[in-house]
Amino acid sequence: MAFTLEIGAKAPDFILPATDGNNYRLSDFAGYEVLVIFFTCNHCPYVIGSDEVTRQTAEKFKLHGVKFVGINSNSKYTYPTDDFPHMVHRMEEQQFPWIYLYDESQDIARKYGALRTPHFYVFDKDRQLIYTGRGVDNPRDTSKMTVNDLERALEEHLAGKTITVPMTNPIGCNVKWEGKDKTKPMWWGPGSNQILSWYDLDEFNFHRMLEGLNQGYKAIVDELEFFIHYEAPFPYKLKFVVENGNLDVKIRYDVEKEFIGSWLEPKWFRTNCS
């Protein structure tokens, strides 16, 4: 069975508190033709970068019976700004046109199989999944986006057409799971020759590693960031070899085909730091 919801699956029920002081469950939105549930948060640059596009989409389709509901499932112990009081403040400040729910237990994120923030799920009148994945193809910088997959799916469905691309890979920060918090700091930085063994790298430690790299490693930082956000989900295993001014990074990652893991050939990046 796939981890995230499959096309045609029914929307899992929930009862969660919202920033408006009410509790909501799935049935509270029964009067809407289409329900867009998306996993989001307060801090993620991919959320912040695309919130205004999401706002425009929500406003555009509101008169067509489309309701947007955001859910924050991130652990507040990883990013304190993802806690409920910050959610309330953000909604008061931004006045987004959606309900903003708090999934503190993370049970709902598990039921839906949320992978990243943002991660969109579109359900039809019968609350069957008709689209899941990204909103746009460049959520961090929407000035560079070339396609709005979410809008295309909504337009096609409301026109009575078959959705041409019902599933895409969500682009954004990983959901911050409880127990995957700041417990394994990585203090590595460039210096003398050193070899590090295979290392299980979660998102927090990856960014700590990037912070430790100086401008001499900019090429590999850019390459790694692209790989992280566009090729495979966390966690990875990485090996660093620094010798004579050269940094080699070997990345091994697990590809999930219905979550039966298979190792791909390791991928190598190299940059000259001399």
Side-chain angles (χ1 to χ4, degrees):
M1 185 174 105
F3 175 68
T4 196
L5 286 184
E6 297 178 319
I7 299 300
K10 298 286 281 188
D13 197 7
F14 54 79
I15 179 165
L16 295 170
T19 56
D20 64 7
N22 297 312
N23 290 329
Y24 291 88
R25 63 188 316 149
L26 184 65
S27 59
D28 290 324
F29 306 102
Y32 294 95
E33 189 70 23
V34 176
L35 181 63
V36 179
I37 292 177
F38 63 106
F39 288 82
T40 182
C41 65
N42 301 325
H43 87 278
C44 173
Y46 294 84
V47 168
I48 295 170
S50 59
D51 266 339
E52 288 309 310
V53 171
T54 305
R55 183 200 298 272
Q56 292 167 15
T57 302
E59 295 285 6
K60 177 179 178 179
F61 290 94
K62 180 170 60 176
L63 296 179
H64 298 279
V66 179
K67 182 65 176 178
F68 277 64
V69 176
I71 300 178
N72 175 20
S73 300
N74 274 3
S75 168
K76 62 186 176 183
Y77 300 109
T78 305
Y79 283 91
T81 54
D82 279 337
D83 66 8
F84 189 72
H86 283 89
M87 290 172 59
V88 173
H89 174 73
R90 191 155 193 265
M91 287 297 284
E92 290 174 345
E93 180 182 66
Q94 299 294 330
Q95 296 294 304
F96 291 124
W98 51 75
I99 301 295
Y100 196 11
L101 305 177
Y102 189 37
D103 175 29
E104 185 172 15
S105 71
Q106 304 187 313
D107 289 342
I108 306 307
R110 292 186 183 93
K111 287 181 179 180
Y112 279 76
L115 300 174
R116 296 183 181 269
T117 54
H119 189 168
F120 293 86
Y121 296 81
V122 180
F123 297 93
D124 64 12
K125 181 67 173 176
D126 298 322
R127 297 302 177 253
Q128 289 184 310
L129 186 67
I130 57 174
Y131 173 79
T132 184
R134 67 192 187 188
V136 300
D137 62 345
N138 197 329
R140 187 162 187 162
D141 183 359
T142 53
S143 68
K144 298 178 181 177
M145 74 182 194
T146 61
V147 63
N148 189 322
D149 295 277
L150 178 61
E151 282 204 4
R152 179 177 59 194
L154 290 171
E155 288 170 350
E156 290 175 343
H157 176 70
L158 291 170
K161 300 177 181 179
T162 299
I163 294 177
T164 53
V165 184
M167 181 178 292
T168 58
N169 289 324
I171 300 173
C173 302
N174 283 50
V175 174
K176 303 301 182 286
W177 299 105
E178 198 78 27
K180 297 291 185 180
D181 304 317
K182 303 177 182 181
T183 56
K184 292 196 305 178
M186 187 176 184
W187 296 102
W188 183 82
S192 59
N193 293 351
Q194 51 192 301
I195 296 177
L196 283 71
S197 300
W198 286 112
Y199 189 89
D200 288 311
L201 197 64
D202 61 17
E203 187 169 12
F204 171 70
N205 290 325
F206 172 78
H207 289 293
R208 287 293 296 275
M209 181 270 289
L210 290 190
E211 290 171 6
L213 296 175
N214 64 19
Q215 286 300 308
Y217 296 101
K218 186 177 186 305
I220 200 164
V221 168
D222 292 343
E223 191 87 45
L224 282 168
E225 285 186 328
F226 179 86
F227 180 86
I228 294 309
H229 295 302
Y230 293 100
E231 294 203 27
F234 284 100
Y236 307 112
K237 292 181 180 292
L238 283 84
K239 181 189 284 185
F240 297 92
V241 181
V242 182
E243 186 173 4
N244 298 325
N246 289 319
L247 169 66
D248 285 343
V249 181
K250 189 174 185 179
I251 298 183
R252 190 169 70 168
Y253 59 100
D254 195 30
V255 174
E256 296 166 347
K257 296 181 178 177
E258 295 191 353
F259 286 81
I260 300 174
S262 60
W263 289 109
L264 292 187
E265 287 297 315
K267 183 167 183 174
W268 283 90
F269 297 118
R270 165 172 284 194
T271 187
N272 186 281
C273 306
S274 57

